[in-house]
Amino acid sequence: MVEEVQKHSVHTLVFRSLKRTHDMFVADNAKPVSLDEKSHKIKMAVKLRVEYSSVLHMPVIKENTRDKGSHGAIDSYGHKQYLQNSGDDNEYLITGTHPYPPGPGVALTADTKIQRMPSESAAQSLAVALPPSQSKMEASRTAAGVGDIYRHAGIPERSQPPGLTMAMMEAGGNKNSALMAKKAPTMPKPQWHPPWKLYRVISGHLGWVRCIAVEPGNQWFVTGSADRTIKIWDLASGKLKLSLTGHISTVRGVIVSGRSPYLFSCGEDKQVKCWDLEYNKVIRHYHGHLSAVYGLDLHPTIDVLVTCSRDSTARIWDVRTKASVHTLSGHTNAVATVKCQAAEPQIITGSHDTTIRLWDLVAGKTRVTLTNHKKSVRAVVLHPRQYTFASGSPDNIKQWKFPDGNFIQNLSGHNAIINTLAVNSDGVLVSGADNGTMHLWDWRTGYNFQRVHAAVQPGSLDSESGIFSCAFDQSESRLLTAEADKTIKVYREDDAAVWKHISNNPYLCISLRTDIMKAFFLFPVNFLCCNCPIIGWN
């Protein structure tokens, strides 16, 4: 027989639910336990003995100096106290676990049980004996020592607010203390840089454009692509001038020599080629790498070529004899980038093993290994004027100082895999990432003053928006990027922003006024100055 379930009214059920909720929240389990005075006193006494036993014998100020008869008084924690009572001097207590001094075998007399401080006259005589430049500094230091030891003995360190500091000033022989506000640390002001805007998109490659380089004469530039071709473009018009074929896999690096009419290229086919641009044909091969060659660079003063590879090595080649001078081994993963400079260290490599190595070119050995990065280093760039360089990784962009690779600062915020870096003489650092974003930074302060994410070529997928390489032209007025949508994009500074910045800065206007007026009378063209109040032209 099934037992019938007792039915209750809605009112009863609601009441029971409310009661259950009330019982659940009526007890506040998070409320702290009430403080027991006796246990707290025992706890503090134990803590005082355990943590502060080494300084309990030091002097503390006596708050009430009226009671002068309590020699050997006992404090609240059972420690014996000793009182000085000599003439007009202030009275001080010596506290500790045993009479002062604590050394064994030392008799406790009226002189030894009191720690006497240096007198004012002794401090003044010490200041007079010092050189003039040092005496003032030492006098203020002595004033702080004599006065502050009496005044602040036994007081916790942070008795003043954190924004204030106690400064001792000396004026006319009188020592005065004044509270002076600390100057808050300020971020250095970044230099103003005009924003860069896209003004040309160059198409022609049939695959990802993986590398780019501008020739020293600034007339043309060269690109290498995943379509296995090398193309030379006119820099002014963006028109294709020449296509070079010869690689059988993706071209990963190109560079133009400034000392001879040669173009060097490398690719994933393990080949390193030297092209003679007078005949547009390959004249030398550099054999030796065991895997894909990811990058290359030319030494600025000697005929040396340096390449880096997926085989975890970098190789130094004699350009003319094709001989391998050194094999730089030490990295434990693919070497993604290599740079050369005339000064020491002459070779810098960045690797997927998260390290950067600075190499001795003569010995062919590592000078310094930098291990600050936590992820693979795919890009390194040297500043054209300063003795510094930067490295790019998915965790951070880091700046370093030569010759020992001293860390300068982090540039955080480009949260992507950084494939390329470029910097110009004005201190504009450009970082390009695999998600198509490009960040522009002020080199000195690390301030990110612009972020660019250009649209991909029509017909391409949104995922094909990576930036593989970027470079400034020789005039540093144009920025070229090689991208995954098979295009080369050209950026330049926004002229309107430059004029607006000048018009908003009277000092710049005054300095440019003479030159602009000369140009106006020599070449009568229309000048735009954004209603400049200084120059007065609209």
Side-chain angles (χ1 to χ4, degrees), residues 43-119:
K43 175 187 173 184
M44 293 306 295
V46 171
K47 185 174 182 180
L48 189 64
R49 286 182 178 276
V50 171
E51 297 188 11
Y52 303 102
S53 59
S54 59
V55 295
L56 284 175
H57 65 280
M58 294 182 68
V60 295
I61 191 168
K62 183 184 176 186
E63 296 294 339
N64 187 4
T65 58
R66 294 174 186 172
D67 300 332
K68 297 187 179 181
S70 58
H71 292 277
I74 304 298
D75 64 4
S76 58
Y77 298 112
H79 300 127
K80 213 167 192 179
Q81 297 177 339
Y82 297 92
L83 181 64
Q84 179 189 8
N85 197 355
S86 57
D88 297 331
D89 293 341
N90 292 332
E91 299 179 355
Y92 299 93
L93 295 178
I94 308 298
T95 65
T97 55
H98 42 67
Y100 183 90
V106 179
L108 187 65
T109 65
D111 292 328
T112 59
K113 76 178 182 180
I114 300 300
Q115 183 179 13
R116 299 189 181 278
M117 300 298 179
S119 63

Side-chain angles (χ1 to χ4, degrees), residues 41 92-93 113 135 145 159 184 206 224 246 256 287 349 381 403 406 422 428 476 480 508 511 524 537:
K41 194 171 182 179
Y92 299 93
L93 295 178
K113 76 178 182 180
S135 62
S159 56
L206 302 178
V256 185
H287 295 287
T349 57
V381 66
N406 297 323
V428 176
E476 299 182 339
L480 299 94
L508 288 175
S511 65
W537 295 329

Side-chain angles (χ1 to χ4, degrees), residues 60 135 239 275 322 339 361 370 373 390 427 473 484 522:
V60 295
S135 62
K239 293 181 179 178
W275 304 77
K322 301 182 290 184
K339 293 294 176 184
L361 176 60
L370 308 176
H373 281 293
D473 71 342
L522 289 175

Side-chain angles (χ1 to χ4, degrees), residues 24-34:
M24 183 184 298
F25 291 101
V26 72
D28 189 359
N29 296 321
K31 189 176 180 181
V33 181
S34 57

Side-chain angles (χ1 to χ4, degrees), residues 192 194-197 450 491-500:
W192 184 84
W196 293 70
K197 65 177 183 179
Q450 187 182 3
Y491 296 82
R492 66 180 176 189
E493 293 178 346
D494 190 351
D495 295 334
V498 175
W499 280 109
K500 187 174 181 181

Side-chain angles (χ1 to χ4, degrees), residues 244-299:
L244 301 173
T245 57
H247 282 281
I248 59 174
S249 188
T250 302
V251 181
R252 292 294 295 265
V254 289
I255 189 167
V256 185
S257 173
R259 300 161 58 86
S260 54
Y262 294 156
L263 164 68
F264 297 87
S265 65
C266 65
E268 294 181 2
D269 52 9
K270 311 177 193 175
Q271 296 184 33
V272 181
K273 297 176 183 287
C274 174
W275 304 77
D276 189 330
L277 296 177
E278 292 179 346
Y279 299 96
N280 298 332
K281 59 167 46 175
V282 178
I283 59 171
R284 296 188 188 98
H285 288 87
Y286 302 90
H287 295 287
H289 279 297
L290 305 176
S291 189
V293 186
Y294 284 166
L296 76 173
D297 198 15
L298 282 168
H299 196 281

